[in-house]
Amino acid sequence: MNDLVGSYFDAAIAHLRRVRDEEADTIEAAAALLAEAVTEGRRVFTFGAGHSSLAAQDVVYRAGGLVPVNLLNVPGMSGVTVMPAPLSSALERVSGLATATLDLTPATAGDLLFVISLSGRQVMPVELARYARDRGMKVVGVTSLAYPARVPSAHPSGTYLKDHCDVVLDSKIAVGDGELTRPGAETSFGPVSTIVTSALMQAVVASAVGRLADRAAAGDSPAPPLFRSGNVPGGTEWNAGQMAANAERVFYTY
């Protein structure tokens, strides 16, 4: 195996183990909020800009995932689909976009919002988290706390995503998001932020489903509303039924 290939996998595995061990309590705290939202019939939203949107999308309309989880889709920010690509970064710095976006959704007090931002310093995630809490929503931030210690906030308030959350999941990604170096390469490379952030989100969902399943097994609540793979017999019909049963909480387009 190429030494860089092995080094990359080793770095990713080490980082996942670190987050698993050091973020166990916050993962459970976020899972408790998610399970509570599902039990109470609330809506759940996820948001991430640029590459952070990949982890936000990974728990939406996903086999084995919870049905009432919706992507807060802001045109130009979901991945790198906008052209030119730097426009997605520029949109993150536009003040007022977060409040306008949230106002145009069916989100209400008591709903839950996951905001994913590696640095947590840009205007959009800061204003989105702050405004959501002002509206009575619960907010879980997924970010790296290494950034506030080293990089100034881009928001006029000087605050970061971490300052406007009920629970903060620390991805512990180093500033620069590169795990590898090589003579001749002028910057670090081999980012693991997408792997780690997606793992954090899926761990929260797994714990929440476990909580809901335990309640169902005890006869205290219905079975957790989960999607099945559309590639297994009956999966498509199952999913249609799940979305119909949760129609008031499912807003994959709005």
Side-chain angles (χ1 to χ4, degrees):
M1 179 182 290
N2 180 291
D3 63 325
L4 285 177
V5 173
S7 295
Y8 179 78
F9 277 102
D10 288 344
I13 291 168
H15 213 104
L16 287 169
R17 285 175 173 162
R18 181 187 175 196
V19 171
R20 178 196 63 188
D21 296 340
E22 297 180 12
E23 291 300 299
D25 290 342
T26 51
I27 289 170
E28 291 302 331
L33 289 179
L34 178 55
E36 178 183 25
V38 173
T39 299
E40 294 183 352
R42 304 293 186 181
R43 303 179 186 93
V44 181
F45 297 88
T46 65
F47 170 81
H51 288 93
S52 290
S53 72
L54 300 176
Q57 295 177 58
D58 194 44
V59 293
V60 176
Y61 190 60
R62 182 65 186 265
L66 289 162
V67 175
V69 179
N70 305 272
L71 181 67
L72 190 61
N73 184 29
V74 181
M77 287 193 191
S78 295
V80 288
T81 57
V82 66
M83 293 295 182
L87 178 58
S88 62
S89 298
L91 289 172
E92 263 199 287
R93 299 190 289 269
V94 177
S95 181
L97 185 56
T99 54
T101 296
L102 201 57
D103 283 342
L104 292 172
T105 73
T108 60
D111 288 346
L112 177 61
L113 171 65
F114 288 83
V115 180
I116 304 169
S117 172
L118 177 58
S119 71
R121 64 184 290 269
Q122 294 296 346
V123 171
M124 181 69 182
V126 171
E127 290 193 352
L128 182 60
R130 184 170 68 177
Y131 187 51
R133 292 186 86 194
D134 287 345
R135 289 185 49 172
M137 299 176 69
K138 297 289 186 180
V139 177
V140 175
V142 187
T143 187
S144 170
L145 297 183
Y147 280 82
R150 292 185 54 189
V151 185
S153 171
H155 192 269
S157 68
T159 62
Y160 298 80
L161 169 60
K162 70 178 181 66
D163 300 313
H164 306 284
C165 299
D166 297 280
V167 175
V168 175
L169 296 171
D170 182 7
S171 66
K172 306 181 188 300
I173 300 296
V175 174
D177 193 16
E179 297 293 322
L180 305 177
T181 59
R182 189 78 160 189
E186 296 182 343
T187 187
S188 60
F189 55 98
V192 298
S193 58
T194 301
I195 294 171
V196 174
T197 304
S198 291
L200 278 169
M201 291 296 293
Q202 290 293 352
V204 169
V205 172
S207 179
V209 170
R211 290 166 182 261
L212 295 168
D214 288 346
R215 295 173 191 170
D220 297 328
S221 63
L226 295 170
F227 284 115
R228 290 180 179 174
S229 171
N231 296 312
V232 301
T236 300
E237 293 77 11
W238 169 273
N239 292 337
Q242 287 289 310
M243 286 188 287
N246 293 275
E248 293 184 358
R249 295 190 285 169
V250 175
F251 291 88
Y252 300 123
T253 59
Y254 44 81

